[in-house]
Amino acid sequence: MIGHGPMPHFSDECVTIEPPRASLDDVWPQASMLVNTSRSEGASLVILEAMAAGIPVIASNAGGNPELVGRGGIIVSGVNDGAELFAAAIKDLLESPAHRQELARLARERYLEKFRIETMIAALRSVYSGR
């Protein structure tokens, strides 16, 4: 796990927790999935980075997460039973390599179609030019 914040349910016996990093470039090749449990989010850069790397995403329905993820992952909703829903989604992807690979493919396709820098610049130009 990489990040910070309250994590009362994890012990050093089952999870290695590392501090935040400036870049995750060396992590993506080893990652099976990205799990983003944020309760408050705008447009998550780490989700876009994962999708660019072809990593399937499991994310909360906070902020812009659903719009970013689209069909390239699993959106978890539910305030009271969120932990159980996240656990079920993680289990599903760990136990189903075919599903994980399909979501990875869809995540990369969505990134290339919607969020590449050239696409974003063209969209901004369109907005500001009134077209």
Side-chain angles (χ1 to χ4, degrees):
M1 239 181 202
I2 299 172
H4 56 80
M7 294 184 245
H9 303 295
F10 293 102
S11 71
D12 293 341
E13 296 172 16
C14 63
V15 175
T16 301
I17 300 173
E18 297 186 18
R21 307 169 176 221
S23 171
L24 296 174
D25 290 344
D26 61 325
V27 173
W28 296 129
Q30 304 168 54
S32 298
M33 68 191 77
L34 170 74
V35 180
N36 183 316
T37 62
S38 293
R39 292 182 181 174
S40 175
E41 196 67 73
S44 173
L45 180 59
V46 74
I47 287 177
L48 289 176
E49 289 175 347
M51 293 171 67
I55 305 297
V57 175
I58 299 171
S60 67
N61 66 344
N65 289 352
E67 182 180 351
L68 294 178
V69 173
R71 293 181 31 224
I74 299 169
I75 295 297
V76 174
S77 59
V79 176
N80 295 328
D81 54 357
E84 290 81 14
L85 294 173
F86 273 104
I90 292 166
K91 183 176 186 234
D92 173 52
L93 291 190
L94 288 175
E95 292 179 349
S96 178
H99 188 211
R100 190 171 64 241
Q101 289 169 354
E102 177 65 6
L103 289 181
R105 182 185 67 76
L106 291 170
R108 176 78 176 149
E109 283 179 5
R110 183 161 178 82
Y111 169 79
L112 291 173
E113 180 185 327
K114 302 274 187 189
F115 301 111
R116 283 180 350 140
I117 189 71
E118 297 84 2
T119 305
M120 300 297 287
I121 289 171
L124 282 172
R125 282 189 177 143
S126 175
V127 168
Y128 285 106
S129 69
R131 293 183 203 158

